[in-house]
Amino acid sequence: MQTDIDPRHLIGRKAFDLNGTRIGTIDEVYLDDATGVPEWAAIRTGLFSRDAFVPLEPSELIDGALHVPFDRALIKDAPDFGVGRHLSPEQELQLYHHYGLDIATPPPVRDRDFGKLAGRDKQL
């Protein structure tokens, strides 16, 4: 998605799934903790239903509406973490997995051999 859009301008916009079916209206936008880039949108899926989280990347803003490249049923089945609270890294990972999006996990830190410990190479 175009990342230079002010997230406040996304709130209240309509959202559509990959088939052009209306999902709902954007209630909140969640920013990446490290970069401040808009990362998730919470979409109110109906009058008495909950908000569903959708990834803003690879979604597109077209003619003032958010077009999400996922089926409405998948979006409605997304994990529910409630809105108005911070998404933890674990919750974000669950959402990425739900949508089948791969995120690069950092490589494991290798054990480094910093040499022999002092006094270990001496004979007793």
Side-chain angles (χ1 to χ4, degrees):
M1 189 181 112
Q2 186 180 342
T3 56
D4 60 346
I5 294 174
D6 186 331
R8 294 171 293 195
H9 294 147
L10 290 173
I11 296 171
R13 293 183 187 256
K14 291 180 174 62
F16 297 88
D17 75 355
L18 64 89
N19 300 311
T21 305
R22 185 166 184 241
I23 305 165
T25 304
I26 300 172
D27 258 357
E28 294 189 29
V29 175
Y30 291 75
L31 308 180
D32 181 89
D33 288 340
T35 65
V37 172
E39 190 169 13
W40 298 96
I43 298 175
R44 173 68 55 187
T45 58
L47 188 58
F48 297 108
S49 55
R50 67 182 182 90
D51 282 43
F53 288 94
V54 298
L56 289 173
E57 181 64 41
S59 300
E60 295 182 282
L61 194 59
I62 302 171
D63 296 329
L66 186 68
H67 290 264
V68 182
F70 302 101
D71 187 69
R72 187 172 194 243
L74 180 68
I75 294 166
K76 284 191 161 209
D77 286 341
D80 184 5
F81 301 118
V83 293
R85 292 179 276 164
H86 181 266
L87 285 175
S88 72
E90 294 79 20
Q91 290 170 326
E92 284 190 76
L93 192 58
Q94 286 180 27
L95 287 167
Y96 277 115
H97 287 305
H98 175 77
Y99 287 106
L101 299 172
D102 291 327
I103 58 168
T105 54
V109 177
R110 292 182 22 197
D111 261 347
R112 296 200 189 327
D113 182 7
F114 290 107
K116 297 179 182 175
L117 293 174
R120 288 284 198 178
D121 57 345
K122 294 181 183 175
Q123 297 228 339
L124 297 176

